[in-house]
C-alpha cells in the first residue's frame, strides 16, 4: 500500500483507466488489459542447510502476450506480494511496448530473504522455482530475467534447470545470464545505461547542461550504483547524494561513486562512507539537486514529500516509485519526470538483444550493444515526448498512450477483439 491507501496494482489499474478514457478504448479491450491473462501460484519446497524443509511461496504473472512472449524479471524479496507482481507484470507490458520490442509483459517473485540464505539454499530455491513453472515458460512463451535481489548467477541456475528438464541446451529461456552462458555484453549495466540515454534526451529538451548537473540517487543496487557511475564518468555530472535501504550519504563537492560502491560491498551499506556525511532517505529526496534518480522500490515519492522535491528532473530507474497523487503535484510544480517504464527499459531492451543473440548463436561486441540500446531508448523517448507535447499531458500519461495503443493494435490484429 502507498500512503494514499492504494496497492501497487490498483495504481497500475488507475493509470490504465485514465489512459483508456483518453484513447476512447473499447470497454472489452479495457477489461482485458485491466487484469493478467494468467497467474501461477506455486509452493517451492527447499532443503535448508540445517536439514529442515522450508516451503516458499512463489508467483509468475503472465500479464499480456499480444506483442510476443511474456517477458519480465523475477524478484526474491521478503515482502513480495502477488499484488506487486501483478503491477510489475502490467508495467512490463507497457515497457516492452514503449521501446517497441516484440515481447509482452510478465513478472515473477518468491517470498524469501536471500540475504539470510546461503548460496546453496538460494541455488536450490532457484532450481525449485523453475521446477514449479517450467511448463509455462520458454524462449517463445515466457522469458524471465533478473530483478530485485536476483542476479546473473541465479539466472544461470534457472537456465541450467530448465535445460535439464527440456533435455537440451536452452539459453534463450532466460536473459541476464553470465557471459559464459550466453549472456549479452552490456547487459550488466543496461538498465542504468538506458536510463542515461533518456536523461541525455531529456536534458537536450530542457536545456540542462549535464556536465554541470548535480544528482542524487535513491537506491544503490544494480540500477542505482551504475547510473551514479555512468553519469559521473561519461557526462561529468556531480553525484552529491546516494542512499540504500539503511540510509544515505552526501557530499556537496561530489562523491566518488565507485568508491561508495566498494564501501557498500565491504560493509553492506553506503552509510558511514568516510568522505561524506550521513543523511536520511527523506533528506536525499528533498535535497537541492538538478536530477533525482529513484532507483529502489515502489512508492518512494508520495503526496507527503512530492511538494518538497526541488529537482528539475526525476529519472525513475525503479519500477513504480511515484504514486498518482505525487505525480500530479510534480506535474503542477513543473518537475520533468522520465517515467519508470520508459526510463528503466534499457534492461529489458538489452534482454531482447540477448535473446536475439541466443537464437542466432552469434554474439555482438559491447560497442554494438551500446549503439543499438542508445538508438532504441532515444527513439522511445522522442515518441513519448512528441505525444506529451502534442496532447499537453505528462510524460507518464504520454508513455501510457504510446504503449497502450501499440498493445491494442496487436490485440486487434490478432482478432482478440
Ligand atoms: N527486471 C527488469 C525490468 O523490470 C528487466 C526485465 C527483463 O530483462 O526481462 O525491466
Amino acid at each position: 500500500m502507498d500512503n494514499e491507501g492504494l496497492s501497487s496494482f490498483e495504481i497500475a489499474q488507475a493509470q490504465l483507466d485514465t489512459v483508456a478514457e483518453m484513447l476512447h478504448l473499447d470497454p472489452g479491450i479495457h477489461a482485458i488489459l485491466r487484469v493478467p491473462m494468467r497467474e501461477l501460484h506455486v509452493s517451492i519446497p527447499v532443503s535448508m542447510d540445517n536439514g529442515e524443509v522450508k516451503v516458499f511461496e512463489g508467483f509468475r504473472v503472465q500479464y499480456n502476450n499480444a506483442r510476443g512472449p511474456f517477458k519480465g524479471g523475477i524478484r526474491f524479496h521478503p515482502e513480495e506480494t502477488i499484488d506487486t507482481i501483478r503491477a510489475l507484470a502490467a508495467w512490463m507490458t507497457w515497457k516492452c511496448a514503449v521501446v517497441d520490442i516484440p515481447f509482452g509483459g510478465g513478472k515473477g517473485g518468491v517470498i524469501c530473504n536471500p540475504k539470510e540464505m546461503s548460496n546453496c539454499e538460494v541455488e536450490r530455491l532457484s532450481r525449485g522455482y523453475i521446477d514449479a513453472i517450467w511448463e509455462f515458460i520458454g524462449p517463445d512463451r515466457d522469458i524471465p530475467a533478473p530483478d530485485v535481489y536476483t542476479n546473473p548467477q541465479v539466472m544461470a541456475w534457472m537456465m541450467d534447470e530448465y535445460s535439464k528438464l527440456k533435455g537440451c541446451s536452452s539459453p534463450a529461456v532466460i536473459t541476464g545470464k553470465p557471459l559464459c552462458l550466453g549472456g549479452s555484453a552490456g547487459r550488466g549495466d543496461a538498465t542504468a545505461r538506458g536510463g542515461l540515454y533518456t536523461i541525455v534526451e531529456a536534458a537536450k529538451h530542457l536545456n540542462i547542461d549535464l556536465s554541470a548537473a548535480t544528482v542524487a540517487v535513491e537506491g544503490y543496487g544494480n540500477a542505482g550504483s551504475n547510473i551514479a557511475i555512468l553519469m559521473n564518468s561519461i557526462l561529468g555530472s556531480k553525484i552529491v547524494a546516494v542512499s540504500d535501504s539503511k540510509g544515505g550519504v552526501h557530499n556537496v563537492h561530489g562523491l566518488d561513486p565507485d568508491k561508495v560502491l566498494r564501501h557498500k560491498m565491504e560493509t553492506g551499506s553506503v552509510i558511514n562512507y568516510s568522505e561524506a556525511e550521513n543523511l536520511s532517505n527523506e533528506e536525499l529526496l528533498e535535497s537541492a539537486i538538478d536530477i533525482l534518480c529513484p532507483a529502489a522500490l515502489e512508492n518512494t515519492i508520495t503526496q507527503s514529500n512530492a511538494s518538497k522535491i526541488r529537482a528539475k528532473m526525476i529519472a525513475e530507474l525503479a519500477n513504480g516509485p511515484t504514486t498518482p497523487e505525487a505525480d500530479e503535484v510534480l506535474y503542477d510544480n513543473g518537475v520533468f519526470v522520465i517515467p519508470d517504464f520508459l526510463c528503466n527499459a534499457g534492461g529489458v531492451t538489452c534482454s531482447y538483444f540477448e535473446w536475439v543473440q541466443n537464437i542466432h548463436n552469434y554474439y555482438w561486441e559491447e560497442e554494438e550493444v551500446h549503439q543499438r540500446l542508445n538508438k532504441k531508448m532515444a527513439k522511445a523517448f522522442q515518441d513519448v515526448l512528441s505525444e506529451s507535447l502534442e496532447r499537453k499531458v505528462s510524460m507518464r500519461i504520454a508513455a501510457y498512450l504510446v504503449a497502450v495503443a501499440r498493445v491494442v493494435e496487436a490485440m486487434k490484429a490478432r482478432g482478440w477483439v
Side-chain angles (χ1 to χ4, degrees), residues 28-329:
I29 294 180
H30 184 192
I32 296 174
L33 290 175
R34 280 193 106 241
V35 286
M37 289 173 66
R38 182 192 271 156
E39 273 184 23
L40 305 171
H41 291 236
V42 296
S43 303
I44 311 158
V46 176
S47 301
M48 305 304 278
D49 291 348
N50 65 5
E52 278 172 24
V53 170
K54 209 169 151 188
V55 180
F56 291 89
E57 201 180 340
F59 317 106
R60 183 76 188 166
V61 174
Q62 299 181 326
Y63 201 86
N64 185 291
N65 64 353
R67 287 175 47 88
F70 303 104
K71 182 88 192 80
I74 298 168
R75 312 209 307 179
F76 283 177
H77 198 273
E79 268 128 54
E80 201 52 84
T81 67
I82 183 63
D83 182 274
T84 318
I85 299 294
R86 277 184 198 129
L88 291 161
W91 290 327
M92 281 309 303
T93 309
W94 317 133
K95 192 181 300 191
C96 294
V98 87
V99 279
D100 203 10
I101 57 175
F103 290 136
K107 202 76 164 199
V110 178
I111 307 172
C112 66
N113 189 352
K115 288 184 177 173
E116 287 172 3
M117 294 164 70
S118 73
N119 240 349
C120 293
E121 288 170 342
V122 174
E123 174 176 355
R124 290 194 286 271
L125 176 64
S126 305
R127 292 186 185 276
Y129 179 71
I130 293 299
D131 294 344
I133 68 163
W134 73 280
E135 285 158 300
F136 299 91
I137 63 172
D140 51 8
R141 234 173 242 173
D142 182 357
I143 306 134
D147 204 286
V148 173
Y149 296 164
T150 54
N151 55 31
Q153 178 59 74
V154 170
M155 298 306 112
W157 290 323
M158 290 185 172
M159 185 279 278
D160 181 66
E161 190 68 13
Y162 181 84
S163 296
K164 282 180 180 167
L165 289 161
K166 290 295 276 189
C168 60
S169 167
S170 193
V173 67
I174 206 154
T175 57
K177 300 179 292 295
L179 281 178
C180 62
L181 293 178
S184 175
R187 178 65 183 86
D189 67 8
T191 304
R193 196 175 285 271
L196 177 97
Y197 295 142
T198 65
I199 291 170
V200 169
E201 294 300 311
K204 279 189 225 158
H205 169 65
L206 299 171
N207 257 324
I208 294 178
D209 174 7
L210 289 172
S211 66
T214 51
V215 182
V217 180
E218 182 254 349
Y220 217 60
N222 176 299
S225 60
N226 279 314
I227 196 68
I229 292 167
L230 294 174
M231 287 199 73
N232 182 246
S233 63
I234 299 180
L235 305 172
S237 309
K238 200 191 280 178
I239 314 302
V240 292
V242 303
S243 69
D244 59 30
S245 56
K246 301 205 174 92
V249 284
H250 81 121
N251 181 338
V252 282
H253 304 296
L255 299 158
D256 178 331
D258 285 295
K259 275 200 197 166
V260 178
L261 183 61
R262 275 200 295 279
H263 172 79
K264 181 178 165 83
M265 277 162 20
E266 281 159 19
T267 65
S269 172
V270 297
I271 56 171
N272 302 326
Y273 170 63
S274 59
E275 291 163 36
E277 277 158 44
N278 286 345
L279 90 171
S280 69
N281 256 313
E282 216 47 41
E283 288 167 326
L284 176 140
L285 295 174
E286 296 164 13
S287 49
I289 32 126
D290 299 310
I291 301 170
L292 174 64
C293 299
L297 295 172
E298 309 82 45
N299 302 332
T300 303
I301 303 173
T302 64
Q303 206 167 23
S304 59
N305 59 21
S307 60
K308 297 182 206 142
I309 285 179
R310 290 185 274 172
K312 297 188 187 89
M313 185 200 301
I314 298 181
E316 294 183 340
L317 282 165
N319 288 310
T322 309
T323 66
E325 289 79 358
D327 238 348
E328 278 176 32
V329 175

